[in-house]
Amino acid sequence: MVHGESGGGTLLEISNLHAGIEDKQILRGIDLSIEPGEIHAIMGRNGSGKTTAANIIMGHPDFEVESGRVMLSGEDLLELETWERAREGVFLSFQYPQAVPGLQVGNFLRKSVASIRGEESAKGADFRNELNEAMDALGIPRSFLSRYVNDGFSGGEKKRFEILQMLLLKPRLAILDETDSGLDIDGIKTVAAGVNAAIRGGESAALIITHYSRILEHVKPDKVHVLIDGRIVASGGPELATELENNGYDWIEERGEAEGVA
Amino acid sequence: MPANQDAMEAVGDYKSGWHDPENSTIRFDFGLSEEVVREISALKGEPEWMTDIRIKAYRHFIERPMPTWGNTPMLHEIDFDSICYYLRSSKATEKDWDEVPDDIRNTFDRLGIPEAEQKWLSGVTAQYESEAVYHSIREDLEKQGVIFLDMDSGLREHPEIVKEWFCSVVPLTDNKFAALNTAVWSGGSFIYVPKGVHVEMPVQAYFRINAKNMGQFERTLIIADEGSSIHYVEGCTAPTYSTDSLHSAVVELIALPGAHIRYSTVQNWSANVYNLVTKRGIAHENSKIEWVDGNIGSKLTMKYPSVILKGEGSHAEVISVAYSGEGQHQDAGAKIHHLASNTTSKILSKSISKNGGRGSYRGLVKVSPKAENCKLNVVCDALILDEGSRSDTYPTMEVANPTARCEHEASVSKVSDNQLFYLMSRGHSEEEALAMIVNGFFEPFTRELPMEYAVELNQLMALEMEGSIG
Ligand SMILES: Nc1ncnc2c1ncn2[C@@H]1O[C@H](COP(=O)(O)OP(=O)(O)O)[C@@H](O)[C@H]1O
Ligand SMILES: [Mg+2]
């Protein structure tokens, strides 16, 4: 496998991606490339295809790729099973995390770390310490470990749990799908701090999917992309998020049409 | 249940399916008659009253029609003439594993029994075919007056206790298979816990069928005297053969005032074994009886652990799980009879069906007119893993006293793609993800088992999930 060219290669390279479900086309030609150490944001209205994009990068079996490529450090992700992608370092913080009654959080975290980072990383005092540190950073109490995965969690607990997993799994590419919704301002700050700590100055990268510019004030993305109807209609710096917040998506649609992008 | 590496290498999907060469010291011809019943009794040198009970039971078995519920087509496939009703493979019941014949000892080694005994059990009985081949109890318990014997020794050494309680909970006319067991019973456990004695670590019975077309009919009687407590654990496996074997046990529990009996089973018979078992307990004042019943193997299981709440303030619990794979039908459930006031009961049934397997919950909870302020809680959950698998529930509540508080919940669910995707995105293969969901579903059951059993059950289910993804 051709991975780990962390020296200079692009981390994520999506080109001309068309994808959908059954007969319905949802993504209509996406191009996106993310370099190691970068944080990108995708903004867009409900239904524009943000979650679909995240699902396709992670390999959700319900979606079909019609054409295009998704490469991680030069390796074709679309050839891999979901769990292989995870082991290659792709992580998705779900918009709607799934409950698994009876599966204990502590047990699940240990197993996930073992399968993604290797048995050795999931053992002994080092793992314990790492786990405790991450939980403290996110303000998650120890009692959380004996609860069942996402079972009866509040919205905020679910999102914190996603970030806890991100911190422990140490992905190369972290995709955060609306992790900010359902969190209060303190939660958003905590999550942003977690993302900054995990990405800034390292070889990993993050793709933050959101509705609101609020989380972006705390992570300062390198690039912001606007997704409308399955296409990226505008890309820019962090200022684009603020403009969107002030002027709404209509503004960008009009601008896009004026520029002949859409 | 497989407990060591060796056992994991055995035949096909089912990991306990190997068999030893058959070295029987006594083997009866196939088929059943009054003569066979008398011979079994004579062989064991039993008192006449026991022979009489056996004969009566045999006659009832012959007259009694097959049950008209459960899986009747499968029941009618049983060929009672091609079953061996008594087979002894060792000369005696040993107290030392070294004295047990090599083949047999190896089998129990592979199943991890001697190892478990050393680590966490108060006593062990190991039955192979019709007789216990090994039996031991910790000395300190013996000193406290705890009796833990195989049933045959129990009858020999304590005939007066056996006579008092035998068939007192499950009468010989209870049902066709209880009658069969009463006629030809052999082996099983006999336990008496004296007043106020708490047996802290579980005692275990392990039942192994080795021969083809074998019938195993163990009989267990547990009496917990006032204020005492005991946890009894049983496991069972058999080789995989193309022809059927029959396991038909009767278990009677008596919890005297204030006593607590917990009876845990992990049944993992091979897929050619009929498992038709009657388990019932009588709970006296303020006592507690719990059945923790796991059914993973067998061809057809029909088993409904039951409790008669006879004494005021007594409590019953039946927590069961059933897994039905290809060609399997688990018809399991619970029966509780609230005869006295202020009695409480709880039934939790969880069933999983896969590859065309069929799981049924059949439950009956009854409250007598005179029983005031009873509380009943019934929860049945089914998880269906694919199209073509089946789950049915037949819950019955007969409540003849208006002060009873009844709760009943039932759910049927399927594993969703989104759930699997979520787990797979954390680096777990589809099979591992499925095993996580399945083990999670069974968790309310597994957490009631001793840790060692819980771990093995989880491994067992993970094996069952292997190769299940197309
Ligand atoms: N599993 C699915 N089945 C059918 N349609 C879907 C499915 N998932 C998403 N869609 C459709 O695809 C479009 C994009 O949805 P989604 O990617 O969830 O948008 P977003 O995350 O931007 O809100 C919507 O029209 C939605 O209805
Ligand atoms: Mg979405």
Side-chain angles (χ1 to χ4, degrees):
Chain A
M1 270 181 272
V2 206
H3 68 87
E5 308 162 44
S6 45
T10 300
L11 184 71
L12 179 73
E13 175 106 59
I14 299 178
S15 37
N16 195 29
L17 180 66
H18 288 77
I21 191 159
E22 281 150 18
D23 292 335
K24 179 174 172 177
Q25 201 180 49
I26 302 172
L27 303 182
R28 303 155 197 271
I30 303 256
D31 293 289
L32 180 68
S33 80
I34 305 182
E35 303 301 320
E38 285 186 345
I39 297 178
H40 286 217
I42 293 186
M43 300 183 75
R45 283 198 199 97
N46 267 338
S48 56
K50 304 182 296 295
T51 296
T52 301
N55 278 333
I56 284 173
I57 298 171
M58 199 73 240
H60 195 299
D62 288 356
F63 295 90
E64 242 168 82
V65 174
E66 293 148 31
S67 61
R69 303 211 303 171
V70 180
M71 312 292 283
L72 185 77
S73 298
E75 184 183 6
D76 187 355
L77 276 188
L78 300 179
E79 289 294 309
L80 302 180
E81 301 286 354
T82 294
W83 62 90
E84 293 170 327
R85 300 180 196 198
R87 290 173 194 177
E88 286 301 319
V90 183
F91 176 84
L92 173 58
S93 165
F94 281 63
Q95 182 176 8
Y96 302 111
Q98 296 288 310
V100 187
L103 177 59
Q104 282 189 339
V105 165
N107 210 344
F108 175 59
L109 288 174
R110 197 178 37 70
K111 283 187 173 159
S112 301
V113 168
S115 74
I116 288 179
R117 289 170 52 200
E119 285 290 342
E120 286 309 310
S121 305
K123 274 186 191 155
D126 285 353
F127 174 65
R128 276 271 138 214
N129 292 339
E130 200 182 317
L131 179 60
N132 289 342
E133 240 173 67
M135 291 199 340
D136 292 346
L138 296 170
I140 297 174
R142 298 285 187 276
S143 59
F144 203 77
L145 294 173
S146 53
R147 292 177 66 184
Y148 299 147
V149 169
N150 293 315
D151 193 24
F153 286 16
S154 70
E157 284 172 331
K158 283 185 185 166
K159 298 304 168 87
R160 280 189 165 79
F161 180 48
E162 294 296 285
I163 296 306
L164 176 63
Q165 294 178 72
M166 182 191 80
L167 294 181
L168 293 171
L169 297 175
K170 301 194 184 305
R172 286 201 284 158
L173 173 68
I175 305 163
L176 275 57
D177 190 1
E178 312 237 4
T179 303
D180 50 344
S181 59
L183 285 175
D184 57 19
I185 197 67
D186 285 342
I188 289 177
K189 280 185 187 162
T190 319
V191 166
V195 174
N196 283 326
I199 309 300
R200 290 295 178 206
E203 296 296 330
S204 299
L207 180 60
I208 296 177
I209 295 171
T210 182
H211 259 72
Y212 310 103
S213 62
R214 209 158 47 178
I215 188 171
L216 303 181
E217 285 161 23
H218 298 280
V219 286
K220 303 259 169 11
D222 299 287
K223 282 205 179 112
V224 175
H225 311 276
V226 182
L227 189 70
I228 291 179
D229 204 13
R231 285 192 189 93
I232 291 179
V233 298
S235 296
E239 73 288 346
L240 186 53
T242 323
E243 286 178 59
L244 274 176
E245 184 95 338
N246 295 336
N247 304 327
Y249 289 97
D250 291 341
W251 159 76
I252 204 112
E253 263 176 326
E254 286 156 19
R255 198 189 75 166
E257 273 159 22
E259 288 173 9
V261 180
Chain B
M1 294 168 305
N4 56 24
Q5 264 328 102
D6 258 5
M8 296 296 182
E9 295 164 4
V11 222
D13 255 1
Y14 180 71
K15 303 297 169 185
S16 308
W18 76 87
H19 64 93
D20 308 331
E22 194 189 311
N23 292 316
S24 47
T25 54
I26 300 173
R27 184 192 225 293
F28 280 39
D29 287 342
F30 292 115
L32 186 60
S33 63
E34 200 164 307
E35 200 45 43
V36 167
V37 175
R38 282 186 197 284
E39 270 179 56
I40 291 174
S41 189
L43 185 78
K44 292 172 180 288
E46 286 175 348
E48 212 178 303
W49 62 264
M50 183 57 84
T51 317
D52 290 346
I53 289 179
R54 285 180 184 273
I55 297 297
K56 263 195 216 140
Y58 170 73
R59 289 176 188 162
H60 186 78
F61 165 72
I62 294 297
E63 285 163 17
R64 187 82 177 241
M66 274 290 185
T68 52
W69 39 276
N71 191 322
T72 42
M74 268 195 192
L75 282 175
H76 285 281
E77 282 168 25
I78 302 175
D79 181 3
F80 290 102
D81 293 329
S82 69
I83 287 168
C84 170
Y85 288 83
Y86 183 88
L87 200 168
R88 166 185 277 184
S89 299
S90 72
K91 294 203 177 57
T93 306
E94 305 295 349
K95 281 202 163 81
D96 183 341
W97 281 109
D98 288 337
E99 304 295 321
V100 175
D102 284 352
D103 277 345
I104 300 181
R105 197 193 56 224
N106 287 342
T107 274
F108 285 109
D109 274 343
R110 284 174 83 170
L111 294 165
I113 310 302
E115 197 188 329
E117 177 182 10
Q118 280 182 2
K119 283 197 204 141
W120 59 278
L121 295 168
S122 288
V124 165
T125 185
Q127 179 161 344
Y128 193 85
E129 320 292 20
S130 300
E131 297 285 351
V133 294
Y134 172 83
H135 194 94
S136 85
I137 175 173
R138 275 183 22 197
E139 257 173 44
D140 52 322
L141 291 174
E142 218 166 1
K143 286 203 184 100
Q144 287 178 281
V146 176
I147 303 171
F148 173 43
L149 292 167
D150 65 275
M151 192 66 202
D152 295 276
S153 307
L155 175 61
R156 264 193 314 275
E157 294 174 29
H158 304 278
E160 68 303 333
I161 309 182
V162 174
K163 193 171 178 182
E164 183 179 352
W165 299 105
F166 194 88
C167 284
S168 72
V169 185
V170 180
L172 60 86
T173 54
D174 191 81
N175 65 73
K176 188 172 179 74
F177 291 93
L180 175 63
N181 173 281
T182 309
V184 297
W185 72 267
S186 183
S189 300
F190 172 68
I191 297 179
Y192 170 79
V193 190
K195 279 186 190 166
V197 172
H198 297 284
V199 180
E200 303 289 349
M201 295 208 288
V203 296
Q204 189 192 35
Y206 200 95
F207 299 95
R208 176 79 180 171
I209 295 177
N210 180 62
K212 258 188 188 177
N213 296 64
M214 184 58 206
Q216 194 176 56
F217 305 99
E218 88 271 8
R219 179 91 190 193
T220 289
L221 174 60
I222 300 177
I223 302 144
D225 212 331
E226 292 179 24
S228 70
S229 68
I230 185 159
H231 184 183
Y232 181 90
V233 190
E234 67 176 359
C236 42
T237 53
T240 304
Y241 291 121
S242 54
T243 56
D244 296 331
S245 287
L246 172 61
H247 172 254
S248 193
V250 170
V251 178
E252 299 179 280
L253 308 181
I254 297 115
L256 290 170
H260 178 189
I261 303 176
R262 169 175 276 218
Y263 194 109
S264 303
T265 304
V266 177
Q267 177 271 108
N268 188 24
W269 294 116
S270 50
N272 55 301
V273 175
Y274 280 89
N275 184 46
L276 308 167
V277 170
T278 308
K279 290 181 160 168
R280 188 174 305 152
I282 292 187
H284 292 262
E285 296 82 65
N286 299 315
S287 71
K288 185 166 155 186
I289 291 181
E290 295 165 297
W291 297 102
V292 179
D293 203 57
N295 294 296
I296 310 300
S298 83
K299 174 178 183 171
L300 170 65
T301 284
M302 286 172 64
K303 175 166 56 161
Y304 322 95
S306 61
V307 181
I308 297 167
L309 295 166
K310 187 180 172 195
E312 217 173 295
S314 56
H315 176 71
E317 253 172 61
V318 182
I319 302 174
S320 66
V321 300
Y323 165 79
S324 319
E326 193 177 353
Q328 285 184 291
H329 184 180
Q330 307 280 10
D331 196 279
K335 267 193 266 180
I336 313 261
H337 201 150
H338 292 257
L339 288 179
S341 296
N342 302 312
T343 50
T344 51
S345 68
K346 188 179 145 190
I347 295 173
L348 172 62
S349 156
K350 300 223 141 207
S351 95
I352 292 181
S353 25
K354 196 190 120 197
N355 280 347
R358 181 172 168 199
S360 317
Y361 166 80
R362 199 178 297 278
L364 171 63
V365 186
K366 259 179 156 174
V367 178
S368 295
K370 287 193 202 119
E372 303 281 340
N373 302 316
C374 296
K375 270 197 232 163
L376 303 58
N377 178 283
V378 181
V379 178
C380 310
D381 297 324
L383 183 66
I384 299 176
L385 296 189
D386 45 31
E387 305 294 318
S389 297
R390 182 171 160 189
S391 166
D392 311 289
T393 51
Y394 308 96
T396 310
M397 285 199 183
E398 293 172 13
V399 179
N401 184 303
T403 61
R405 289 211 346 239
C406 312
E407 295 165 349
H408 181 236
E409 282 170 48
S411 76
V412 179
S413 49
K414 291 188 173 159
V415 175
S416 76
D417 282 353
N418 286 331
Q419 234 180 348
L420 286 171
F421 177 60
Y422 183 74
L423 297 175
M424 291 190 293
S425 78
R426 276 26 173 179
H428 307 291
S429 71
E430 196 162 357
E431 282 168 356
E432 289 163 352
L434 189 59
M436 283 179 170
I437 294 169
V438 163
N439 285 332
F441 180 78
F442 275 174
E443 204 273 348
F445 171 85
T446 19
R447 73 164 168 241
E448 299 297 330
L449 292 176
M451 225 263 283
E452 293 76 359
Y453 266 71
V455 169
E456 286 189 16
L457 189 82
N458 283 345
Q459 287 170 351
L460 210 57
M461 290 317 299
L463 287 172
E464 290 291 346
M465 294 308 118
E466 265 178 27
S468 63
I469 310 284

